Amino acid sequence: MRKLVICVVSSLVVLGAVGFLSLPWLCSLLAGLGLFAAWMGPWKNLHVALHTMKRDLMCLAVITRVKYSMKRNLRRRSTIPALFAETVMQHPDKPALIYEATGEVWSFKELQERCHAVAHWALEQGWVEGDVVALYMENRPLVVALWLGLAMTGVEAAFINYNLRRDSLLHCVRVSGARAMVFGTEMTEAVSEVIGSLQSSMVLFCSGEEDNKEKLCSLKAQSLDFLLRRSPTHPPHYKLRKEFNDKLFYIYTSGTTGMPKAAIVIHSRYFRIAAFGFHSFGLRPDDILYNCLPLYHSAGTIMGVGQCLLFGLTVVLRRKFSASRFWDDCIKHNCTVIQYIGEICRYLLAQPVRPSEERHQVRVAVGNGLRPSVWEEFVQRFRIPNVGEFYGATECNCSLINIDGKVSSCASGSVWLQCIIMSVCASAGEPGMIVGRIIDSDPLRRFDGYADPDSTSQKIAHNVFQTGDSAYVSGDVLVMDDYGYMYFRDRSGDTFRWRGENVSTTEVEGVLSGLLGHSDVAVYGVCVSGVEGKAGMAAIAHTGGTLDLDAFLIGVKKCLPSYARPVFLRLMPSVDTTGTFKIQKTRLQREGYEPREPSEKIYYLNNRAGCYEAVTEQLYKDITEGKVSL
């Protein structure tokens, strides 16, 4: 498998560097280059160029616009708080944030005043630029005011996943180097479990309803709500020294393959992610965006809230995602844009049909991770006119966009232009790992890494395109078709080899989930003693009645080639997922196919008998000793 240099960003960002040219000039240039490339190659190239010209010009227009804005902000030494202040001046009384749980509405002016109160509080604590404060609470408008208010004084927030406990929680707090922690009172029990292991100098602040006053007192946490109520709401008399390429905050990776890593988010990266979302998918300042994603994740706090802070959209915040309330909320608040990530779309499809799913005004769904197996059903059932799918990670420098809504594609790239400016690229239909060349002087191509230098170095490869260069290695495998549309295939650690064939866990998960009515399914490879490769295993969330394994196997045989059919099944009450709805497989792979929990059932595909049979202690022993042939 060769490394795939993704074309939409790699090629169009290079073109974006000629931003001094007017758009008509660029259009003429692209048209000429396209015809030239077609003339030099077979007639198929001409067909591809004509078929993709409109799409590529749309991408170029977005890239050019974002890059020009970023250059201007870099020249002006802008910061996110400064850009937010400009938004407030445009419409101070317009609703900025709506908290669905209480119906509370904050106008842009009110949000700014609450940020000022946070900034005064931070200065009163004696914190200086570069200090870090950990935020550990469920979604609420205060989360936005906290990190943005801290940023006004140069203090950096570290967003802690509110699902983490004990060792994982301690790891995230420690790696950030936080001097203080702000936690929601709903997290009191979790904080009390680790209080003895936190640094003695760690200052604690709590916010929210005090249901357990005795435990809160034992933590010696100060009431942040009280402190902010008495804090001034006018702009602090402080001149921020940070600029556009300086640190804003830390967001942690999901930790699907180990402990979460604290990714560095600088001001320009925040702007870039939000701006690409706004311009690529046709968002408007009068849109109302429904955000039920966790604010400790970049999708929720950058792609979602960023539309509010930088472009004036109203954002409806929900405390946590609810599949049963999703469309009712959209109708209640007249939402026109929704966000999704990971498995959210499948969860919505698994819900019973209800009238509200047809009465909404949603015109755009923006997110990443919409599985090909549910894409068309999601669009048709819920009447979604436009899907804005993108590929990217918080820290990566090779984000991709599917600008024209091609079904199942996570991105598109200029096929005819890449031959002019690219040096390495996987062929159409050939899987490749996406990498992004690192150019520190280019805000679109720089890689800021993680708080931990070792984690940063592990994601960088050297001498990839030419001697002396460096590139960010994503670990994600994509494949591109003849027209430059790209499709997520798998993560490099997930794909496994069986019977001489590579098995894509993502594809198999999509098929099995569809057969099971959109149930959670995790597919992975397990080692079997004395057998080459890894045998496929599927963990299935199954809490209902008896699963008809014979009917299931019939469906599997119809949909999957023999080498991709799961050799083992594990029926369990629920499959481990991250807080951002990504399936976790580390524990499942480690435990393999050995019978463990009484509440779970493990089955083995007996090809001779043509059925799945339960794995008993004796059968497990026979398989591991090679007495049963796979």
Side-chain angles (χ1 to χ4, degrees):
M1 182 180 68
R2 294 159 60 190
K3 288 187 175 66
L4 172 64
V5 182
I6 288 302
C7 309
V8 64
V9 170
S10 298
S11 61
L12 294 180
V13 166
V14 173
L15 285 174
V18 297
F20 60 91
L21 294 175
S22 64
L23 190 56
W25 269 95
L26 289 173
C27 295
S28 301
L29 174 64
L30 279 175
L33 288 172
L35 292 174
F36 174 76
W39 179 70
M40 291 294 290
W43 280 102
K44 181 181 178 182
N45 287 0
L46 177 59
H47 170 74
V48 171
L50 294 176
H51 185 84
T52 60
M53 183 70 69
K54 180 180 177 181
R55 178 201 70 192
D56 293 347
L57 291 177
M58 289 168 61
C59 285
L60 178 59
V62 170
I63 293 283
T64 303
R65 188 168 187 175
V66 173
K67 185 143 190 172
Y68 173 78
S69 298
M70 294 189 71
K71 282 189 172 182
R72 182 188 62 197
N73 287 325
L74 189 61
R75 187 172 59 250
R76 294 169 56 197
R77 300 180 178 179
S78 299
T79 61
I80 297 303
L83 294 173
F84 170 62
E86 294 176 5
T87 305
V88 175
M89 290 179 64
Q90 294 175 22
H91 28 236
D93 299 322
K94 178 183 176 181
L97 300 177
I98 300 173
Y99 189 35
E100 201 286 324
T102 62
E104 188 177 4
V105 179
W106 290 8
S107 69
F108 279 88
K109 183 63 176 177
E110 288 169 332
L111 174 56
Q112 186 182 50
E113 289 175 346
R114 292 172 188 262
C115 292
H116 289 159
V118 171
H120 282 286
W121 161 69
L123 292 172
E124 188 177 278
Q125 298 301 315
W127 298 328
V128 298
E129 295 197 21
D131 282 343
V132 179
V133 175
L135 306 183
Y136 185 51
M137 58 179 64
E138 294 177 350
N139 284 10
R140 63 189 73 171
L142 179 61
V143 175
V144 181
L146 277 169
W147 74 256
L148 188 55
L150 289 171
M152 289 177 175
T153 65
V155 177
E156 300 150 12
F159 291 85
I160 310 295
N161 180 338
Y162 51 68
N163 295 292
L164 299 182
R165 298 293 186 272
R166 297 184 182 274
D167 290 346
S168 298
L169 172 57
L170 280 172
H171 164 80
C172 289
V173 175
R174 286 170 177 166
V175 78
S176 71
R179 292 189 57 180
M181 176 193 285
V182 177
F183 65 93
T185 52
E186 70 277 6
M187 313 308 300
T188 300
E189 186 65 33
V191 175
S192 67
E193 292 173 350
V194 299
I195 188 64
S197 301
L198 293 173
Q199 288 185 337
S200 57
S201 59
M202 176 75 68
V203 185
L204 298 179
F205 300 87
C206 64
S207 172
E209 298 284 336
E210 298 183 6
D211 294 331
N212 193 336
K213 292 185 179 181
E214 184 176 341
K215 184 151 285 186
L216 276 174
C217 288
S218 68
L219 295 176
K220 298 180 180 178
Q222 301 177 50
S223 171
L224 179 63
D225 298 337
F226 171 77
L227 294 172
L228 293 183
R229 279 196 298 269
R230 70 173 195 173
S231 191
T233 58
H234 59 74
H237 299 295
Y238 180 81
K239 182 173 177 56
L240 186 64
R241 293 190 296 274
K242 287 191 174 185
E243 299 181 3
F244 201 46
N245 280 337
D246 288 322
K247 289 181 185 177
L248 177 59
F249 51 57
Y250 296 92
I251 283 185
Y252 291 79
T253 61
S254 56
T256 52
T257 57
M259 284 293 192
K261 298 187 289 288
I264 297 170
V265 177
I266 62 177
H267 291 258
S268 62
R269 179 173 292 274
Y270 189 100
F271 178 88
R272 173 174 66 84
I273 295 173
F276 270 120
F278 182 79
H279 295 299
S280 299
F281 306 129
L283 305 188
R284 306 189 301 251
D286 63 344
D287 276 323
I288 300 175
L289 185 148
Y290 182 66
N291 186 351
C292 59
L293 306 181
L295 293 182
Y296 60 72
H297 190 263
S298 57
T301 214
I302 305 180
M303 183 62 81
V305 172
Q307 307 307 324
C308 166
L309 304 183
L310 302 179
F311 301 104
L313 279 72
T314 298
V315 171
V316 178
L317 291 177
R318 202 178 205 284
R319 189 175 67 90
K320 286 185 177 180
F321 166 70
S322 169
S324 62
R325 290 292 307 167
F326 190 93
W327 298 112
D328 292 327
D329 288 347
C330 289
I331 293 173
K332 177 181 177 181
H333 298 288
N334 300 312
C335 296
T336 55
V337 181
I338 59 174
Q339 283 189 274
Y340 65 86
I341 193 171
E343 302 297 302
I344 277 183
C345 297
R346 183 169 57 80
Y347 295 154
L348 293 174
L349 285 170
Q351 288 289 303
V353 176
R354 49 173 54 89
S356 58
E357 66 187 45
E358 296 184 354
R359 298 204 309 265
H360 61 80
Q361 301 177 47
V362 173
R363 61 181 184 82
V364 185
V366 176
N368 63 328
L370 179 51
R371 287 180 180 263
S373 58
V374 303
W375 187 304
E376 290 186 283
E377 185 181 356
F378 176 76
V379 168
Q380 292 170 6
R381 174 175 166 181
F382 300 122
R383 301 185 302 107
I384 307 295
N386 300 297
V387 172
E389 173 80 5
F390 62 91
Y391 164 87
T394 304
E395 68 275 28
C396 81
N397 68 341
C398 48
S399 300
L400 310 167
I401 52 175
N402 175 358
I403 201 166
D404 59 351
K406 172 71 172 178
V407 173
S408 300
S409 172
C410 66
S412 57
S414 176
V415 176
W416 53 269
L417 190 59
Q418 67 173 314
C419 61
I420 301 173
I421 63 174
M422 305 307 299
S423 56
V424 182
C425 191
S427 304
E430 179 186 5
M433 186 186 299
I434 178 173
V435 300
R437 185 172 183 176
I438 298 172
I439 304 176
D440 291 331
S441 60
D442 186 342
L444 294 181
R445 308 296 298 280
R446 58 183 289 158
F447 174 56
D448 301 296
Y450 310 95
D452 174 26
D454 289 339
S455 297
T456 300
S457 61
Q458 291 171 12
K459 297 294 287 187
I460 298 177
H462 299 282
N463 306 316
V464 177
F465 303 98
Q466 61 187 40
T467 302
D469 73 356
S470 58
Y472 164 83
V473 181
S474 70
D476 290 334
V477 179
L478 278 71
V479 66
M480 180 178 67
D481 66 16
D482 290 333
Y483 294 93
Y485 288 105
M486 300 170 207
Y487 306 86
F488 183 84
R489 175 63 62 85
D490 236 326
R491 290 180 174 82
S492 57
D494 282 356
T495 302
F496 61 90
R497 195 164 180 82
W498 181 244
R499 302 301 190 201
E501 300 284 352
N502 289 325
V503 179
S504 168
T505 62
T506 302
E507 293 181 8
V508 177
E509 285 167 356
V511 169
L512 300 186
S513 180
L515 291 173
L516 297 166
H518 303 299
S519 296
D520 278 349
V521 177
V523 173
Y524 46 97
V526 293
C527 295
V528 179
S529 180
V531 179
E532 184 180 352
K534 291 186 177 181
M537 186 165 184
I540 299 169
H542 182 70
T543 56
T546 303
L547 175 62
D548 189 339
L549 291 175
D550 292 333
F552 174 73
L553 181 56
I554 291 173
V556 167
K557 288 181 176 179
K558 286 182 179 179
C559 300
L560 292 173
S562 58
Y563 62 84
R565 297 166 190 164
V567 177
F568 298 99
L569 300 179
R570 179 175 178 175
L571 305 188
M572 52 199 307
S574 63
V575 173
D576 295 347
T577 57
T578 69
T580 50
F581 312 104
K582 296 177 183 176
I583 293 174
Q584 291 182 305
K585 305 178 184 180
T586 306
R587 179 178 69 88
L588 299 173
Q589 289 173 316
R590 184 175 63 249
E591 293 177 354
Y593 54 93
E594 180 182 2
R596 291 173 178 267
E597 298 291 332
S599 61
E600 301 180 2
K601 297 288 185 182
I602 293 181
Y603 296 89
Y604 154 71
L605 178 56
N606 186 331
N607 281 306
R608 292 182 178 179
C611 65
Y612 280 105
E613 61 181 70
V615 176
T616 62
E617 293 291 346
Q618 184 59 49
L619 179 55
Y620 173 77
K621 182 180 179 182
D622 291 344
I623 293 173
T624 56
E625 293 178 353
K627 295 178 180 178
V628 173
S629 174
L630 300 187

